[in-house]
């Protein structure tokens, strides 16, 4: 009962928290996961699959992970072996698989764990913390299923996520599967149940009878004398198995064995002479395996026959008896111990054709020997997007709407940047105006500016005189508060001379505070933070005011250094040798060397390398050298790739680029491509905040284009858009004139080029634009490869092309990491040193990541630890901070100097390994691990993000009630008065103006209540207005704590002091970690950023810190819909040459085929296949010109192949047959509309559920959950479409087969075991058994031994099993629409009926409780579904002459009803 309870309830909880995701998530070198070995076996167990092909499929599966950069181990539990005693042939396969993986591959295979409850397994999980465990949810028997359920339950209870083997798919870059996230409710539930009893029940499986081990040992002993060690495993096992197998027929023990393997209804076993004949056949078959190459075996005749149940046990199970653990054999060909097809052919030859063996005829069931032979143009897609407002409009209401929208953007932008908008003036001849003599007006203006500056300087001097005494008093009273006020004052001042006076006064006061502190403390420990402020003022004066320092000032600085005890620095500054003997001064000295003091205690206060010479092109700050080079590139109209850390200032070049184009003319266009709508809104706000320009009527400064809304697309000078929408414009025949006006394209977050969704769109844009571009990112690990590809692309358009590359790795602010944990009731925060994450193996294999940087104090910690671990370290003195060449006698140590020191320590750490000090490097990691020490919380689940914000709110309410005084009314009046003062200061930033935007939002009231407490939440499923409100209030300082998903990762400007990762997730990978942690410690806001990890296991934290970001790799770039769009562009564009050039550029310059000629050939052939498909289906004529429903298909290109299937329904008249209105009206019945939704849901709402969800005994409240099948006539149309698609794709595979690397095809993909058999010289018998008419040119030879031939490629379900692996093609490239989808175990995966269910009940809540969708995902899926219905309706209205056509009316009515239902929930 307990086993059933765990299995049942555990599976239900799995279903609630599982998602179909990309498993590897840009996998990096330090991530690893575990594959349960028995689950791996179960994925490919099939009695029809030949032995060698079984191993080939497993190796293909594992190699797919390996090629994608995954690291994994495989674990076989000892107790799981008992589950196979009822299936002895599978038990043999399990043993052989373990030995093969151990001896022939580099995969780590664990067999030492007895079961998942063993202490060794728990220790392994604790130490290594795998990314996830891949487990099957179904076994060979109900007992094994329960056993696997316990493994899943136990893993989730240990915070280890689980991936189900069911439903896994892959493409060229990704592997997808059902990921079950370990959450708190799993741990809570599983803590209440006992696994031990359940596991004991599972282990009480039938036992295999006593095996004849004495006979085995005796035979092995004899064979050892005949054959040396290192003999081929096939030869030894064949002889051993046959010898022992024959012996056991006269042994009583065999009867026990037969009782287990013989099931009810079986007839008597073989006679001894029959067993002898069978063994002779087996020996001959193995002789063939030893000699005959795989290429010959692939041509063996296909026999439709099978052995009877009496023969099979002896053939398969005789190998189980073999035990050769103490005999070292050559296990290379362990995957090829037998070949059923070959054995059957040999038996047929000798029994029927040669007629020498007759004893087995009665055990064969033979069939015949088989030989296998082998219309009207539609509106542009961008015109269908809802238009919020357009500058060309004359309608007064729309004009007011434009004004309101622009006013909001300016307000939104003002929260992003504290600056006034710059008026752009056209410069007709910029170069001429620069060289022209100054006009009288300009001279007068300059003179006025000089007078104004002098007046401001005098005013600031008087202001400082008034504040000086008060500031000194505040610093002496509370140094921290006083210094903060001093810093704020310095930021407001503009006069350099006044700032210098403030700094000198600050130095004097800080020194007095330090002296007073030393006198008070005496011999006790002193607060060195006060000495830090003295040294900090010295740094600033020497670095920023060097030109203003005179002799008295330098003497004062020298005196301060002597007071601190830094005599060597004082001598260095004054230029005079000698020591101070003043005992009074020595009382104030710091007992730490000056270099160590600066690194360890000044830490993040150390100055950065900054230029002090202004650049006339930049008004708001002084740019660094690399930023100036970038601006030069823009001035020269050059393209650039910029890879620089978050907050380094790379985006500034984008706005400089915009300003340049705006000044040049009114016609030029800049396109800004952002990956998300949230980032689009932010950029638009910044543009309105920065720029103002008077334009002719009909033209506007900025336009927006997303899939939800658009305005001023082709009549704006700056268009801000997302990649998919820009692709629509670039491939639109009617927008080519507009495309030629583009002067620059800015790609923000260009690392999305390697993302899992939409990556190919970024690629298409980069190869089709003809103008210069800027590509920005903080996380690209192989920029050299990216730039080389881009250069090859752009040279296609222009022969002379220079691509400027900026690789800037220095982050302005350091990030320090902390690990939070609960021990008893104590909340501990421990400093986590980055080098603690490094292991010897990681440094050897991958080196130290380039972006694993240390703060100054972390560098000192590393040095001290290295000295402690290796006391005889030869370079200890050289790398001592006081002796290091970049620090010695240096008054101002800068961050650049510390970075050199850090690099030297890292190099030394790597050298230690080369010198054989591996153990010491390991010890360093252990030592560093135990060093002690406004917020944004990141979570990855929408529900937990919202609940976390609410919990903080409720906690603060509770806290307030506990500390609230008795006189509540008096306190309320006092706060009300304070609030009135604040409101006056706030002025235009009154938050009530912001809250007004939430008045019609579903959760507006909740956001308001949370925000008034300084709390907010942020995720992609929120309404855009809600997100904007949270962003603005956070930037303005009203919201202090935000809980968020990764929606803040991509460039959203929400700077914060600290970032907290509050839960583990499959989405928390190296890329997201870097993007999200980059929000902490933004330049200009904080001196340092803090990153906290809470409730995330330490091994995962270490992997995140030391992992490099993933490399950008190419996707398969083509789809049939894309090719139809390219053909449409080439045929309809006004400039045919330019359009053809763009189409060819997309086809020729994919990132996937860059420097890979074979992939380029495959893409060419895929293009030909697509053309053939489009011509046969009637979308192109023989000349390649679009026809028929080509327009409708391209409008739905997001949903291939459903777009093609929809057209087939229209052509067959199925919709006209269905859409019959109620008699005497144009209204359709509920039944018709529901059936129409059912059909559209099967086409466009395809969200699969795992196969195991069907068996859950759960009562659904309102939803049906599982989508019904298509009506019969529609299903027949889909089958007809699939047959044609399969036929076309099979011909494509037959054509591309000639590009396969056949040398590679004859090797197992992972172990690289070669089956070419170069010593083969032919055989008459083999020639006789070969079928020369059998066509296997396009099928993997390993699949051929299981009977696969070329004709099997005409069935989609066989493609992945049979296709030649070296081609890099799989069934995902074929436009098939599966009516029924099955997982590896043959179970059907149902479709989620969310679209139909919502149409029936209209409840979003029901979709979250019944359909296993979170609220945000459900809402956006429904929104997409409505857009599809409307898009189809619009296309049909343009294609159809009759406005009263029933199909058109049905789609229009359905679109209206569905949209109304969706509007009701918002």
């Amino acid at each position: 009962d307990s086993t059933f309870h765990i299995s049942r309830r555990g599976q239900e909880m799995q279903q609630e928290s599982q998602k179909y995701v990309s498993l590897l998530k840009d996998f990096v070198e330090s991530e690893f996961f575990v594959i349960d070995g028995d689950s791996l076996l179960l994925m490919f167990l099939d009695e029809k699959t030949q032995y060698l092909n079984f191993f080939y499929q497993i190796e293909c599966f594992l190699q797919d992970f390996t090629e994608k950069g995954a690291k994994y181990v495989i674990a076989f539990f000892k107790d799981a072996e008992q589950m196979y005693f009822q299936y002895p042939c599978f038990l043999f396969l399990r043993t052989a698989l373990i030995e093969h993986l151990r001896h022939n591959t580099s995969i780590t295979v664990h067999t030492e764990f007895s079961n998942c409850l063993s202490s060794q397994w728990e220790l392994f999980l604790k130490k290594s913390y795998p990314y996830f465990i891949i487990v099957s949810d179904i076994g060979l028997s109900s007992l094994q299923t329960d056993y696997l359920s316990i493994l899943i339950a136990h893993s989730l209870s240990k915070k280890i996520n689980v991936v189900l083997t069911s439903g896994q798919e892959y493409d060229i870059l990704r592997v997808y599967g059902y990921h079950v996230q370990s959450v708190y409710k799993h741990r809570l539930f599983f803590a209440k149940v006992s696994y031990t009893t359940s596991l004991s029940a599972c282990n009480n499986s039938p036992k295999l009878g006593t095996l004849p081990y004495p006979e085995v040992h005796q035979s092995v002993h004899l064979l050892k004398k005949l054959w040396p060690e290192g003999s081929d495993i096939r030869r030894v096992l064949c002889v051993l198995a046959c010898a022992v197998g024959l012996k056991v027929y006269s042994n009583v023990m065999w009867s026990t064995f037969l009782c287990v393997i013989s099931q009810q209804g079986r007839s008597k076993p073989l006679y001894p002479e029959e067993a002898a004949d069978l063994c002779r056949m087996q020996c001959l078959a193995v002789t063939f395996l030893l000699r005959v190459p795989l290429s010959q075996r692939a041509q063996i005749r296909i026999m439709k026959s099978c052995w009877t149940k009496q023969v099979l046990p002896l053939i398969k199970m005789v190998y189980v008896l073999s035990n050769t653990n103490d005999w070292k054999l050559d296990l290379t060909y362990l995957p090829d111990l037998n070949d059923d097809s070959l054995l059957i052919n040999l038996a047929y030859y000798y029994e029927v054709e040669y007629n020498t063996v007759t004893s087995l005829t009665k055990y064969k069931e033979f069939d015949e020997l088989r030989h296998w032979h082998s219309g009207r143009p539609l509106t542009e897609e961008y015109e269908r997007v809802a238009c919020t407002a357009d500058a060309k409009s004359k309608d007064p209401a729309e004009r007011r709407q434009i004004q309101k929208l622009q006013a909001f953007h300016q307000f939104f932008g003002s929260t992003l940047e504290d600056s006034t908008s710059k008026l752009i003036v056209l410069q007709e001849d910029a170069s001429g105006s620069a060289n022209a003599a100054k006009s009288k007006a300009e001279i007068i203006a300059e003179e006025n500016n000089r007078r104004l500056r002098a007046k401001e300087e005098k005013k600031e001097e008087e202001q400082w005189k008034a504040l000086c005494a008060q500031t000194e008093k505040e610093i002496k009273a509370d140094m921290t508060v006083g210094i903060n006020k001093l810093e704020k004052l310095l930021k407001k001042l503009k006069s350099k001379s006044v700032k210098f006076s403030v700094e000198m006064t600050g130095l004097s006061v800080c020194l007095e505070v330090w002296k007073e502190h030393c006198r008070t403390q005496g011999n006790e420990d002193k607060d060195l933070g006060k000495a830090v402020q003295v040294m900090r003022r010295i740094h600033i004066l020497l670095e920023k005011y060097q030109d203003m320092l005179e002799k008295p000032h330098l003497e004062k600085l020298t005196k301060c250094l002597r007071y601190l005890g830094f005599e060597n620095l004082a001598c260095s500054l004054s230029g005079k040798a000698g020591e101070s003997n003043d005992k009074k001064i020595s009382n104030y000295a710091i007992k730490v060397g000056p270099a160590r003091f600066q690194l360890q205690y000044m830490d993040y206060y150390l100055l950065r390398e900054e230029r002090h010479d202004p650049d006339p092109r930049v008004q708001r700050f002084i740019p660094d050298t690399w930023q100036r080079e970038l601006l030069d590139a823009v001035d020269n109209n050059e393209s650039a790739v910029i890879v620089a850390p978050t907050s380094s200032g790379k985006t500034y070049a984008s706005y400089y680029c915009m300003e340049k184009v705006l000044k040049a003319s009114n016609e030029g266009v800049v396109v800004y491509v952002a990956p998300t709508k949230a980032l689009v809104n932010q950029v638009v706000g910044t543009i309105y905040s920065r720029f103002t320009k008077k334009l002719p009527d009909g033209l506007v400064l900025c336009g927006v284009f997303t899939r939800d809304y658009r305005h001023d697309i082709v009549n704006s000078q700056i268009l801000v858009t997302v990649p998919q929408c820009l692709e629509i414009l670039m491939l639109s025949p009617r927008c080519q004139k507009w495309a030629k006006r583009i002067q620059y394209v800015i790609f923000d977050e260009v690392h999305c080029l390697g993302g899992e969704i939409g990556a190919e769109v970024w690629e298409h844009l980069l190869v089709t634009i003809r103008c210069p571009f800027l590509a920005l990112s903080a996380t690209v690990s192989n920029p050299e490869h990216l730039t080389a590809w881009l250069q090859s692309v752009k040279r296609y358009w222009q022969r002379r092309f220079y691509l400027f590359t900026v690789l800037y790795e220095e982050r302005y602010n350091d990030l320090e990491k902390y690990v939070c944990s609960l021990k008893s009731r104590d909340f501990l925060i421990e400093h986590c040193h980055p080098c603690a994450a490094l292991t010897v193996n990681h440094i050897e294999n991958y080196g130290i990541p380039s972006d694993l940087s240390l703060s100054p104090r972390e560098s000192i910690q590393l040095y001290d630890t290295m000295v402690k671990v290796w006391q005889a370290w030869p370079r200890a003195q050289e790398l001592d901070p006081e002796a290091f060449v970049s620090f010695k006698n240096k008054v101002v140590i800068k961050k650049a100097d510390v970075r050199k020191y850090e690099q030297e320590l890292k190099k030394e750490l790597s050298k230690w390994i080369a010198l054989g000090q591996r153990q010491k490097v390991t010890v360093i990691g252990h030592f560093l691990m135990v060093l002690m020490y406004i917020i944004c919380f990141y979570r990855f689940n929408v529900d937990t993000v919202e609940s976390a914000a609410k919990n903080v709110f409720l906690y603060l309410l509770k806290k307030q009630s506990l500390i609230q005084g008795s006189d509540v009314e008096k306190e309320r009046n006092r706060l009300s008065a304070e609030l009135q003062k604040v409101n006056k200061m706030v002025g235009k930033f009154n938050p009530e103006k912001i809250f007004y935007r939430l008045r019609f939002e579903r959760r507006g009231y909740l956001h308001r209540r949370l925000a008034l407490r300084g709390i907010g939440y942020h995720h992609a499923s929120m309404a855009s207005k809600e997100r904007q409100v949270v962003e603005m209030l956070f930037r303005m300082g009203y919201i202090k704590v935000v809980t968020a998903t990764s929606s803040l990762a991509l460039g959203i400007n929400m700077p914060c002091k600290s970032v907290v990762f509050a839960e583990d997730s499959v989405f928390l990978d190296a890329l997201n970690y870097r993007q999200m942690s980059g929000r902490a410690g933004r330049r200009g806001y904080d001196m340092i950023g803090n990153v906290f990890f809470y409730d995330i296991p330490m091994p995962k934290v270490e992997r995140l810190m030391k992992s490099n970001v993933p490399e950008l790799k190419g996707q398969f770039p083509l789809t049939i819909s894309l090719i139809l769009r390219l053909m449409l562009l080439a045929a309809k564009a006004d400039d045919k040459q330019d359009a053809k050039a763009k189409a060819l550029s997309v086809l020729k310059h994919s990132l996937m085929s860059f420097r890979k000629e074979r992939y380029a050939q495959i893409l060419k052939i895929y293009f030909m296949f697509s053309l053939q498909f489009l011509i046969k289906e009637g979308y192109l004529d023989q000349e390649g010109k679009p026809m028929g429903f080509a327009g409708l298909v391209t409008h739905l290109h997001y949903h291939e192949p459903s777009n093609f299937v929809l057209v087939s329904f229209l052509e067959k008249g199925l919709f006209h047959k269905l859409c019959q209105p109620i008699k005497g009206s144009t209204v359709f019945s509920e039944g018709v509309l529901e059936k129409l939704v059912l059909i559209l849901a099967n086409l466009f709402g395809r969200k699969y559920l795992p196969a195991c969800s069907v068996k859950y005994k759960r009562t659904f409240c309102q939803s049906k959950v599982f989508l019904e099948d298509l009506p019969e006539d529609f299903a027949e149309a889909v089958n007809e479409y699939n047959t044609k698609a399969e036929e076309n794709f099979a011909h494509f595979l037959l054509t591309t087969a000639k590009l396969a690397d056949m040398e590679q095809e004859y090797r197992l993909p992972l172990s690289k075991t070669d089956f070419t058999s170069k010593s083969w010289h032919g055989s008459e018998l083999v020639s006789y058994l070969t079928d020369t008419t059998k066509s296997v040119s396009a099928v993997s030879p390993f699949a051929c031994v299981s009977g696969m031939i070329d004709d099997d490629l005409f069935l989609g379900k066989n493609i992945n099993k049979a296709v030649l692996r070296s081609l890099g093609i799989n069934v995902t490239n074929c436009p098939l629409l599966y009516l029924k989808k099955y997982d590896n175990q043959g179970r059907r995966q149902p479709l989620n009926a969310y679209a139909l269910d919502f149409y029936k009940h209209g409840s979003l809540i029901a979709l979250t409780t019944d359909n296993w969708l979170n609220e945000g995902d459900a809402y956006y899926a429904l929104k997409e579904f409505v857009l599809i219905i409307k898009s189809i309706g619009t296309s049909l209205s343009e294609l159809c002459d009759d406005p009263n056509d029933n199909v058109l009316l049905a789609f229009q009515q359905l679109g209206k009803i569905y949209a109304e239902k969706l509007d009701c929930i918002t």
Side-chain angles (χ1 to χ4, degrees), residues 760-783:
E760 69 283 354
V761 179
W762 289 82
E763 189 175 313
H764 299 158
L765 294 176
L766 285 162
V767 299
T768 52
I769 59 171
R770 302 190 67 166
C771 60
F773 65 86
L774 300 179
L776 316 176
S777 178
T779 47
V780 176
S781 65
N782 58 335

Side-chain angles (χ1 to χ4, degrees), residues 795-856:
R795 282 176 186 146
Y796 168 79
W797 293 105
Q798 55 190 87
R799 290 186 178 179
R800 291 186 179 182
F801 174 80
Y802 179 72
L803 181 62
F804 187 74
T805 307
V806 175
L807 302 177
Y808 183 71
E809 296 181 345
E810 186 67 26
R811 192 186 150 87
Y812 187 81
N813 293 331
D814 288 316
L815 289 179
E816 291 203 341
K817 291 87 179 175
Y818 299 86
V819 176
C820 310
S821 57
L822 278 172
K823 289 187 179 177
S824 299
R825 293 190 174 183
D826 296 327
F827 186 77
L828 301 181
I829 299 178
E830 300 173 323
H831 175 244
C832 186
H833 197 289
C835 287
L838 298 173
T839 61
V840 172
N841 288 336
H842 187 92
I843 296 173
E844 281 182 324
N845 295 330
Y846 310 107
I848 299 174
S850 59
D851 62 347
L852 188 138
S853 58
L854 309 180
S855 66

Side-chain angles (χ1 to χ4, degrees), residues 110-123:
H110 292 280
T111 56
E112 67 271 24
F113 310 120
S114 55
N115 55 56
C116 63
L117 299 184
S118 67
S119 56
Q120 297 97 321
W121 174 248
E122 296 210 13
L123 185 63

Side-chain angles (χ1 to χ4, degrees), residues 101 557 923 1232:
L101 293 174
L557 297 181
V923 173
V1232 169

Side-chain angles (χ1 to χ4, degrees), residues 254-288:
W254 186 246
S255 60
T256 309
F257 178 66
L258 290 174
C259 289
V260 176
I261 64 171
S262 298
Q263 298 176 354
Q264 291 182 357
R266 288 195 178 180
S267 56
K268 59 184 179 180
L270 301 175
Y271 292 107
E273 62 272 18
E274 294 165 347
D277 281 341
L278 183 61
C279 288
R280 291 188 189 99
M281 294 292 174
Q282 181 64 21
C283 290
L284 181 58
V286 171
T287 304
F288 273 61

Side-chain angles (χ1 to χ4, degrees), residues 284-324:
L284 181 58
V286 171
T287 304
F288 273 61
L289 297 184
L290 292 167
R291 302 293 181 197
V292 181
L294 186 59
S295 56
Q296 288 291 120
R297 289 165 58 188
Q299 293 288 150
I300 291 291
R301 301 177 300 183
I302 298 172
M303 308 289 295
K304 190 179 178 184
S305 58
C306 63
W307 297 97
T308 61
K309 294 179 180 178
Q310 291 75 33
V311 176
L312 277 172
L314 185 61
I315 295 174
K316 297 282 179 80
M317 273 311 300
V318 77
Y319 287 102
V320 180
L321 309 177
S322 307
N323 186 350
T324 59

Side-chain angles (χ1 to χ4, degrees), residues 77-360:
F77 293 104
K78 292 177 184 176
D79 290 354
E81 188 178 47
Q82 301 174 37
M83 306 296 161
Y84 297 91
F85 287 163
Q86 291 175 291
Y87 313 94
C89 58
F90 293 159
L91 177 60
F92 164 58
L93 274 178
R94 183 181 190 270
T95 307
L97 178 60
I98 292 171
E99 296 303 316
H100 170 62
L101 293 174
R102 272 182 169 165
H103 291 90
N104 298 330
T105 71
S106 58
I107 298 171
T108 302
V109 181
H110 292 280
T111 56
E112 67 271 24
F113 310 120
S114 55
N115 55 56
C116 63
L117 299 184
S118 67
S119 56
Q120 297 97 321
W121 174 248
E122 296 210 13
L123 185 63
F124 168 77
L125 293 182
K126 187 177 180 181
K127 280 187 174 180
S128 58
Y129 188 71
Y131 203 46
F132 50 74
I133 299 178
I134 296 182
V135 188
S136 174
D137 63 328
I138 188 170
L140 292 170
S141 61
S142 59
L143 201 62
Q144 189 173 29
T145 301
D146 291 340
Y147 186 90
L148 292 167
S149 296
I150 292 170
L151 172 59
I152 293 172
H154 181 265
S155 301
L156 294 172
S157 70
K158 297 298 177 184
K159 297 186 182 179
I160 308 295
N161 301 329
V162 167
V163 169
L164 303 180
T165 57
S166 172
Q168 284 192 25
E169 294 177 328
Y170 66 92
D171 59 26
I172 198 165
L173 275 187
R174 314 281 171 193
V175 178
Y176 301 91
Y178 289 99
H179 180 273
V180 185
Q181 177 75 37
S182 172
V183 292
Y184 179 69
K185 65 180 178 182
H186 289 142
R187 303 194 281 278
L188 195 65
F189 168 72
F190 296 126
K192 297 177 182 177
V193 297
S194 171
Y195 304 102
T196 312
T197 309
S198 306
L199 203 59
S200 300
C202 291
N203 288 338
N204 292 328
S205 57
K207 301 292 188 269
L208 191 64
T210 307
L211 296 176
Y213 289 118
E215 284 82 351
V216 174
H217 290 304
Q218 184 182 357
S219 299
V220 169
H221 182 70
L222 292 171
L223 287 173
K224 276 185 178 179
K225 294 179 180 178
L226 294 173
W227 287 329
E229 288 194 349
S231 296
D232 194 308
I233 183 71
R234 295 174 293 182
R235 182 188 311 233
V236 174
L237 275 189
C238 176
V239 174
L240 179 62
C242 289
V244 176
L246 291 173
K247 279 185 181 180
V248 296
Y249 266 81
S250 58
N251 194 318
V252 180
M253 289 187 293
W254 186 246
S255 60
T256 309
F257 178 66
L258 290 174
C259 289
V260 176
I261 64 171
S262 298
Q263 298 176 354
Q264 291 182 357
R266 288 195 178 180
S267 56
K268 59 184 179 180
L270 301 175
Y271 292 107
E273 62 272 18
E274 294 165 347
D277 281 341
L278 183 61
C279 288
R280 291 188 189 99
M281 294 292 174
Q282 181 64 21
C283 290
L284 181 58
V286 171
T287 304
F288 273 61
L289 297 184
L290 292 167
R291 302 293 181 197
V292 181
L294 186 59
S295 56
Q296 288 291 120
R297 289 165 58 188
Q299 293 288 150
I300 291 291
R301 301 177 300 183
I302 298 172
M303 308 289 295
K304 190 179 178 184
S305 58
C306 63
W307 297 97
T308 61
K309 294 179 180 178
Q310 291 75 33
V311 176
L312 277 172
L314 185 61
I315 295 174
K316 297 282 179 80
M317 273 311 300
V318 77
Y319 287 102
V320 180
L321 309 177
S322 307
N323 186 350
T324 59
N325 289 339
D326 58 344
W327 188 3
K328 293 180 181 177
L329 299 173
D330 180 2
L331 302 180
T332 305
Y333 290 94
L334 186 58
D336 196 26
L337 291 180
N338 64 49
D339 187 335
D340 290 346
S341 177
L342 186 59
L343 186 61
I344 291 169
N345 265 284
L346 286 170
Y348 185 83
Y349 172 76
Y350 283 106
E351 291 176 341
V352 179
E353 297 171 323
Y354 197 56
N355 200 23
T356 56
V357 176
T358 59
S359 61
L360 290 173

